[in-house]
Amino acid sequence: MQKITFLSILGLCAYFILLLFAVSKDQKNTNSLDFFFAGRSLSFVFLAITFIASWWGAGSALSSADLAYHDGMGAFFYYGVPVLISTGLMAIMAPRIRSVGYLTQGQMMEARYSKRVAKMLSVMILIYMIFNAAAQMVGIGDYFGSSLSIPYELAIFVGVGIVLIYSMFGGFRAVVLTDMIQFIFLTIASIIVFVTAMKASGGISGIQEAANAANIDGYMSMKSGVSKYFAYVVTFGCSWMIQANVWQRISASRNNTDARKMTLLSFFVYIPMYLMVVLTGMCGFVLFKEFPTGGVISSIVRTYMNPYVASLVFVGIASAIMSTMDSLINTGAMTIIMDLKEEKEEDKQIRYSRIATIVVTCLALLIALKIRSILQVSWIASDVITTGVFVPLIMGFYSRRGTEKGAYASMVFGLLYCSYHLLVQFGVSLPMAFALGSIQQVIYGMLGSLIVYVSVSLFDTPDYPKADAFLARAKGKSR
């Protein structure tokens, strides 16, 4: 075990040096377009890689396997199905997102509705990015802590420190460059863990025998996860469909065709990746009589691999978590500089962008130190964006009747709705009509947001010229 720990630390140091070397070789950030969108010069393949790497984080690499240990193939509905739904819908919307010509969601909503709607949207996106980055920090804290036998707090500071250094100085281009490196590591690690687990457990037949011996019905059926994870499918699917860091990649594409190709390529790569991690977790049910301390993935690495392979896999899993964290931090900083502060001077944009990167990181770090649950923090983040942003943002691309007041009222409702649940989540004693994390919470929130949007818009005078101009741009037509 000591040899594995030593080699893992050595591998992590070498990996950090590699990332710094990659970032140091790129010095093209002369303005915000470079810092946050890499000058719109990257191919759809590179953007697809960074898209995949940015979503393949702690929930995908660790939590999905842990849930699969208990729930079998049904755990595919926890992360796999929401990712496929949201990616598929984004493939449909990608040309519209790219066609409008605006770089951020805030700029899009200002063009469609008004500046105050854009500001409100930006605040909620920032909240979402901070909480989501915190979820990845929880993942890195748990993973580093169990793998390196160090305290949770120290593990977080190590992982976050690595990400902060290369993200702060490199911007989005650095995120893409490092994501390419991280994608290679995380893919290799995922395959090694999957093959090792399948071989040690006896494969599908071994899993089936273990499930039969334990009298678990539906363990091999994906349908078993529909009812249990339906709330997550809706909440995660809707929130991820409008996730700002993915729209950032769509906006960074060279043209509409590349924008759609990027999302479609990502869609088809996600299918085998999520199946692998779910099956790996199910293998853990065969390999460990009780749920292992530190999680399924970490335990398979420590128990069934030689120290050299284990250290390689350690770096690969770490890269999966860090690649998601850097994307969320970068997009959070982008929201502060381009949508909230609206700094116009290019030299100040770069300087303030780095300060914003530190601010987002520190706020997420405080949350990660307070709440040690990937699932809980991810749910809080998704609740904010689903109830407060989904309806006005999507309707803005398809409805000319929706008004500025309708969009703003809908977002205020969503923010108050999720803030109420957030207070309960943090221990404030408030009456609840349903359980936190339930499908009722999701449905009532989204339905309420839609009702407010439609009702207020119907009693308001629409600005048809502004709406039509935006919709025409989204369709690739000039007016």
Side-chain angles (χ1 to χ4, degrees):
M1 188 65 66
Q2 290 181 347
K3 187 174 182 180
I4 292 178
T5 301
F6 173 75
L7 290 174
S8 296
I9 293 174
L10 192 64
L12 185 63
C13 292
Y15 174 71
F16 181 45
I17 292 171
L18 177 62
L19 294 182
L20 288 180
F21 177 78
V23 172
S24 67
K25 288 298 181 181
D26 189 270
Q27 300 293 335
K28 299 178 181 179
N29 291 322
T30 58
N31 52 51
S32 58
L33 185 65
D34 277 333
F35 192 88
F36 291 119
F37 299 93
R40 282 180 162 171
S41 61
L42 301 173
S43 73
F44 76 91
V45 176
F46 288 163
L47 288 174
I49 289 174
T50 188
F51 180 6
I52 296 165
S54 69
W55 267 10
W56 191 259
S60 302
L62 303 176
S63 292
S64 293
D66 291 345
L67 291 173
Y69 175 94
H70 299 289
D71 300 327
M73 190 61 73
F76 190 78
F77 273 83
Y78 165 59
Y79 254 57
V81 171
V83 163
L84 293 177
I85 290 175
S86 55
T87 307
L89 292 174
M90 272 192 289
I92 298 173
M93 282 197 65
R96 285 178 177 253
I97 296 170
R98 181 62 179 81
S99 290
V100 294
Y102 300 105
L103 297 176
T104 69
Q105 290 176 333
Q107 292 174 354
M108 294 174 193
M109 290 300 93
E110 182 176 349
R112 173 60 182 85
Y113 297 115
S114 69
K115 183 178 284 292
R116 74 166 181 165
V117 170
K119 293 294 186 184
M120 176 65 80
L121 174 110
S122 300
V123 168
M124 299 181 79
I125 288 175
L126 180 59
I127 294 171
Y128 174 79
M129 289 299 158
I130 290 172
F131 270 91
N132 234 349
Q136 304 309 311
M137 293 178 186
V138 172
I140 207 72
D142 286 338
Y143 186 65
F144 278 12
S146 61
S147 299
L148 303 178
S149 300
I150 59 177
Y152 172 78
E153 292 78 11
L154 176 60
I156 285 185
F157 281 110
V158 171
V160 172
I162 293 173
V163 172
L164 179 61
I165 290 173
Y166 72 75
S167 295
M168 184 171 61
F169 293 104
F172 183 66
R173 197 186 301 273
V175 168
V176 173
L177 287 172
T178 54
D179 276 355
M180 291 174 63
I181 298 171
Q182 290 163 330
F183 177 79
I184 295 171
F185 276 103
L186 71 88
T187 302
I188 293 174
S190 299
I191 293 173
I192 291 176
V193 174
F194 171 70
V195 172
T196 301
M198 291 292 282
K199 184 177 179 181
S201 65
I204 299 296
S205 60
I207 298 172
Q208 182 70 73
E209 290 176 7
N212 292 339
N215 294 317
I216 301 178
D217 294 329
Y219 195 75
M220 303 300 293
S221 173
M222 198 175 289
K223 294 180 181 179
S224 63
V226 175
S227 58
K228 181 172 183 178
Y229 294 107
F230 186 68
Y232 294 97
V233 170
V234 176
T235 303
F236 287 168
C238 291
S239 65
W240 294 344
M241 176 188 171
I242 59 173
Q243 194 163 311
N245 60 322
V246 178
W247 284 41
Q248 179 186 10
R249 283 149 178 75
I250 294 174
S251 295
S253 60
R254 294 180 296 194
N255 50 55
N256 290 1
T257 302
D258 274 10
R260 174 162 286 173
K261 285 181 179 179
M262 178 200 75
T263 50
L264 287 175
L265 177 59
S266 302
F267 177 90
F268 288 109
V269 172
Y270 280 134
I271 296 174
M273 291 186 74
Y274 279 100
L275 284 174
M276 278 198 305
V277 75
V278 168
L279 286 170
T280 300
M282 294 167 68
C283 288
F285 184 74
V286 181
L287 303 176
F288 308 106
K289 292 182 179 180
E290 295 181 355
F291 184 76
T293 303
V296 174
I297 300 296
S298 295
S299 298
I300 290 175
V301 172
R302 292 196 306 266
T303 308
Y304 291 92
M305 296 181 186
N306 69 62
Y308 296 98
V309 176
S311 61
L312 175 63
V313 171
F314 167 78
V315 173
I317 301 299
S319 69
I321 303 172
M322 289 190 286
S323 64
T324 302
M325 192 194 307
D326 63 29
S327 172
L328 296 166
I329 291 172
N330 182 263
T331 306
M334 177 190 72
T335 301
I336 293 175
I337 298 304
M338 300 192 70
D339 292 330
L340 292 175
K341 183 173 174 48
E342 295 184 292
E343 178 59 54
K344 301 301 183 183
E345 296 183 33
E346 294 291 353
D347 59 332
K348 290 184 179 180
Q349 280 185 340
I350 299 299
R351 183 168 67 255
Y352 291 156
S353 295
R354 295 187 172 114
I355 296 173
T357 299
I358 296 174
V359 171
V360 171
T361 302
C362 291
L363 291 174
L365 185 60
L366 291 175
I367 295 170
L369 293 172
K370 176 69 175 177
I371 307 176
R372 288 188 57 175
S373 170
I374 298 172
L375 184 60
Q376 185 178 356
V377 179
S378 296
W379 176 269
I380 293 171
S382 295
D383 189 32
V384 171
I385 209 80
T386 301
T387 57
V389 175
F390 183 83
V391 169
L393 184 60
I394 298 301
M395 293 293 285
F397 275 85
Y398 292 96
S399 170
R400 66 191 295 261
R401 185 62 182 82
T403 69
E404 184 267 349
K405 290 182 179 178
Y408 191 77
S410 175
M411 296 172 78
V412 170
F413 166 83
L415 185 59
L416 293 175
Y417 183 85
C418 65
S419 296
Y420 186 92
H421 298 135
L422 183 59
L423 291 174
V424 176
Q425 200 95 39
F426 277 95
V428 179
S429 180
L430 295 171
M432 287 289 296
F434 40 75
L436 285 174
S438 64
I439 187 60
Q440 290 91 340
Q441 178 181 341
V442 181
I443 297 300
Y444 294 159
M446 295 189 68
L447 185 60
S449 179
L450 179 61
I451 291 173
V452 170
Y453 180 87
V454 173
S455 301
V456 175
S457 293
L458 288 176
F459 285 96
D460 188 24
T461 302
D463 187 348
Y464 285 130
K466 189 172 188 177
D468 290 341
F470 181 86
L471 294 174
R473 292 188 64 157
K475 295 175 182 177
K477 302 176 182 177
S478 59
R479 288 181 63 87

